[in-house]
Amino acid sequence: MNMNQETYMRRALDLARLAEGDTSPNPGVGAVLVYRDRIIGEGFHAAYGQPHAEVMALRSVRPEDQDFIPDSTLFVTLEPCCVYGRTPPCTDLIIRERIKKVVISCLDKSPGVNGHGVALLRDHGVEVIEHILQEEGEYQALIRNVFVSEQRPYVILKMAFSKDGFVGRAENQVNLSNPGSWRLVHRLRHRVDAILVGTGTALIDNPQLTNRLFWGNDPIRIIPDFNKKLPSDQAFLHDKGPTWILCHKDPERDPPPSQQVIYKVIPAGTDLPGILTYLAKEGVTSILIEGGPTMILSFLESDCWDEAILSTTDRFLGSGIVGPTGWTCPQDRIRIGTDDFDWFRHPRYLRKCDPTG
Ligand code: AOF
Ligand code: ZN
């Protein structure tokens, strides 16, 4: 592996991450233009509908470096697009600028791209090097690639455990994380399009489910309420954020309590994968499942998840609802004050996992 290629791709990945949560339904993408071991341009896709990373990188080149563009190498975290979306194809730009070498991390599985961007560049004599920091690049593009190739949202499970393995009490709300951790949770909320909780959690916690401690948008709150359990004074039915209530066809249902609340009718008997397919059709590319345990368990049992973030606080509850067990091989662990956060990826994404290691 060429170390320089990795170094520049790492920079491109850093740039891509700057717009985390802002680019949906696009992935975050970064690009770096290098002439003789010197970065002469860099950029990232900042928001959906805004110019792509390649465009931003080329726009950033100073006048005195413009002549070097054709002899530079363009590092992009994702295969350049070759289709007209909200913006023109980046492959056209690369060919027009006569750039001879492009290095990418992974493919864009979007319809019409998925290898065609690479092929088109090669057909025009551009040398394309693939798979540089592929694992990191694939993770960066994963929400987009799962959404377009599996027609379902990317699913992140989030749960908080007490030190003795409980996730809460059936009858009342218990806070199982410290204020420092809340910010991380709000950052997660910013990362996704939507957040889903069961009616049990909604009733016990009466949560707001907004992103108040991190910048950026609020996710859509989604609550499956097939048995009409939600009282109309629920907090999230009355603030300014968007809320979707999933229900079966019910002509007697009261009108939505506010303009931001939308009823989404799902046929009775639709299973969890079917609900996810429905949400993808409604444009939801990623969803954070914040509980409660029954909801999380149903995602685990249906094998409908991609990532799980579990926090464990130093508090003992002594009794309560036992959380799902059997989590081994966290991919990462961070500590925020008294809370440990373990980050798991679904085994399908892991090369190997040694529970004893
Ligand atoms: C790139 N560079 O920075 C991004 C790409 O609707 P549009 O115009 O934003 O285009 C959507 C397509 O571009 C789709 O295939 C998406 O995955 C890709 N995103 N591609 O070359 C970028 N953000
Ligand atoms: Zn593009």
Side-chain angles (χ1 to χ4, degrees), residues 51-55 79-83 87-91:
H52 283 185
E54 298 90 322
V55 177
E79 171 185 19
C81 66
C82 55
V83 290
T87 64
C90 290
T91 46

Side-chain angles (χ1 to χ4, degrees), residues 26-27 29 45 52-54 80-81 85-87 90 108 110 113 144:
N26 260 350
V29 179
H45 180 54
H52 283 185
E54 298 90 322
C81 66
R86 296 279 291 265
T87 64
C90 290
D108 176 357
S110 302
V113 191
R144 170 74 185 185

Side-chain angles (χ1 to χ4, degrees), residues 312-327:
T312 308
T313 186
D314 63 349
R315 257 184 79 192
F316 287 83
L317 268 191
S319 63
I321 306 167
V322 180
T325 53
W327 299 94

Side-chain angles (χ1 to χ4, degrees), residues 44 69 78 111 114 116 121 141 157 196 206 231 236 256-257 268 271 279 294:
F44 62 97
I69 292 175
L78 187 73
N114 203 9
H116 290 103
L121 289 174
L157 309 178
L196 183 139
N206 196 12
F236 54 64
D271 59 7
L279 293 178
T294 318

Side-chain angles (χ1 to χ4, degrees), residues 6 9 12 17 54 62 75 91 93 96 162 171 193 219 246 250 354:
E6 279 202 14
M9 189 59 81
R17 289 186 198 107
E54 298 90 322
R62 294 181 307 178
F75 291 81
T91 46
L93 174 74
R96 199 168 58 241
S162 67
E171 61 288 351
D193 288 344
L246 309 185
D250 184 356
D354 175 8

